[in-house]
Amino acid sequence: QVQLVESGGGLVQPGGSLRLSCAASGFTLGYNTIGWFRQAPGKEREGVSCITSSSTTVYADSVKGRFTISRDNARKTVYLQMNSLKPEDTAVYYCAVRMGDTRYPLHRREYGYWGQGTQVTVSS
């Protein structure tokens, strides 16, 4: 059974950092694409970053240079390191998996399995 569990969210001041984790089970992490998405109140879920089976990474313009996605295939975990956090980064963050390749890696409809999300709040 495919399962994704996010952790690492919390409250952080502007300019601070958080590291999110996505623990995966039920599939081979290195053979698939994992994405991070976020959804703020009143807004649609948007793609933040993804990492493919070939370790190609993609970032939304809004987080480029501040966030870094990585994975540890042995631990079956994907990470999102978030630095220089801004209040507009406040959202529930979700990880998701796509079985195979896609030309649209930051499009939420490309992903078939989702975690429950973890809350990130950036506030002073």
Side-chain angles (χ1 to χ4, degrees):
Q1 182 177 0
V2 173
Q3 188 166 222
L4 302 167
V5 180
E6 303 95 336
S7 62
L11 175 64
V12 64
Q13 294 185 350
S17 298
L18 283 174
R19 189 194 195 197
L20 305 183
S21 298
C22 174
S25 62
F27 65 98
T28 302
L29 189 64
Y31 291 166
N32 298 283
T33 297
I34 305 296
W36 282 100
F37 295 77
R38 66 187 182 186
Q39 188 165 21
K43 297 184 178 180
E44 294 186 353
R45 192 170 300 186
E46 64 176 348
V48 176
S49 182
C50 74
I51 184 165
T52 72
S53 61
S54 62
S55 296
T56 298
T57 58
V58 180
Y59 298 92
D61 288 341
S62 60
V63 306
K64 197 170 298 181
R66 300 188 297 121
F67 291 11
T68 303
I69 190 171
S70 63
R71 69 181 173 202
D72 185 330
N73 291 336
R75 291 182 177 271
K76 303 194 71 173
T77 303
V78 177
Y79 304 96
L80 184 68
Q81 179 66 45
M82 306 186 297
N83 299 326
S84 302
L85 283 162
K86 305 174 181 179
E88 51 262 45
D89 295 318
T90 296
V92 177
Y93 283 70
Y94 301 87
C95 65
V97 60
R98 174 184 171 83
M99 305 300 180
D101 298 323
T102 177
R103 292 173 57 87
Y104 311 101
L106 295 183
H107 287 30
R108 58 185 174 87
R109 292 299 185 187
E110 297 293 303
Y111 293 78
Y113 301 93
W114 296 81
Q116 294 299 305
T118 185
Q119 177 71 49
V120 172
T121 302
V122 184
S123 176
S124 59

